[in-house]
Amino acid sequence: MKADRTLDCVGLYCPMPIVKTSQEIKGMKEGEILEVIADDVGIKSDMPAWAEKTGNQFLGIEEEGGEIRVYVKKGSAG
Amino acid sequence: MKMGNTADRKMTIVVFSGELDRALAAFNIATTAASMGTEVTMFFTFWGLNIVKKERGKVGEGNWMKRMLNIINRGGARRLKLSKMNMAGAGTAMMKYLMGKHRMPSLQEMLILAEEMGVKMIACTTTMALMGLSEKDFIPAVKEFAGAATYVGNALESQVNLFI
């Protein structure tokens, strides 16, 4: 998936990927897509939960060799 | 909920315990909630005050019992021990080593992060009096000093209230 920004969270554990995502998305425009790369499997459930409660749109997950790429689209309230 | 209506989303955490593991759990939840658009208030009381005390907590004032409390509870996030398996400090040192190896933020880093994210920190004035502490004995992240009514008032407006 094509993203406007990429955030590398490989090696980071909860809550850091989510905390960093929330900080990163603050500087983005509505409709822009953020790609977060992580290897803590918790993010697979945490990111949709975070997006739902913050008005951002969770777009999906791509997994390859222990590397998890999650995609979030910035919403109007996010 | 599709859109995050974050305006009235509130959470309080009573931080009663002063152990490293419990404090980490409290700050983990606080920073996560803050990143989800929640207004978070942490109310530090009893042993929880040790987490937000300045590293060189004072020893001098008050009667000998208060001074002794401050010698035992010297304060500072760096000094806290695990609630289990402390093993005279060896268990805590091992846990800190493992956390560092996994690039997990230390409690001191979590404190800074929480402050940056706008987490409100309140110290309990009753426990402060009991332990002979004053406002200047706390790190600058603690900006409010109040009692139980402030906490309950806040809790009544919140959807999530935790006691750790």
Side-chain angles (χ1 to χ4, degrees), chain A residues 10-16 18-19 22-23 46 49-56 75-78, chain B residues 1-6 9 27-29 31-32 34-37 102-105 110 113 116-117:
Chain A
V10 173
L12 299 182
Y13 292 87
C14 167
M16 294 319 291
I18 290 294
V19 167
S22 79
Q23 287 170 339
D46 282 4
W50 175 83
E52 194 200 327
K53 293 295 178 208
T54 51
N56 298 294
S76 57
Chain B
M1 198 192 302
K2 278 185 287 307
M3 294 297 287
N5 178 21
T6 60
R9 202 175 281 170
F27 276 92
N28 187 321
I29 294 170
T31 51
T32 303
S35 79
M36 294 172 89
H102 285 93
R103 289 172 58 199
M104 288 177 189
M110 294 286 269
L113 191 63
E116 280 174 1
M117 297 180 86

Side-chain angles (χ1 to χ4, degrees), chain B residues 67-109:
Chain B
R67 285 205 296 271
M68 207 166 79
L69 267 170
N70 281 310
I71 291 168
I72 297 164
N73 298 291
R74 278 166 80 199
R78 196 172 55 86
R79 281 214 184 86
L80 306 182
K81 298 175 176 72
L82 288 175
S83 64
K84 281 191 199 317
M85 305 210 313
N86 181 50
M87 300 183 288
T92 299
M94 252 185 277
M95 184 65 79
K96 283 183 176 173
Y97 168 77
L98 287 173
M99 282 175 59
K101 223 180 144 189
H102 285 93
R103 289 172 58 199
M104 288 177 189
S106 65
L107 183 57
Q108 297 97 299
E109 289 167 325

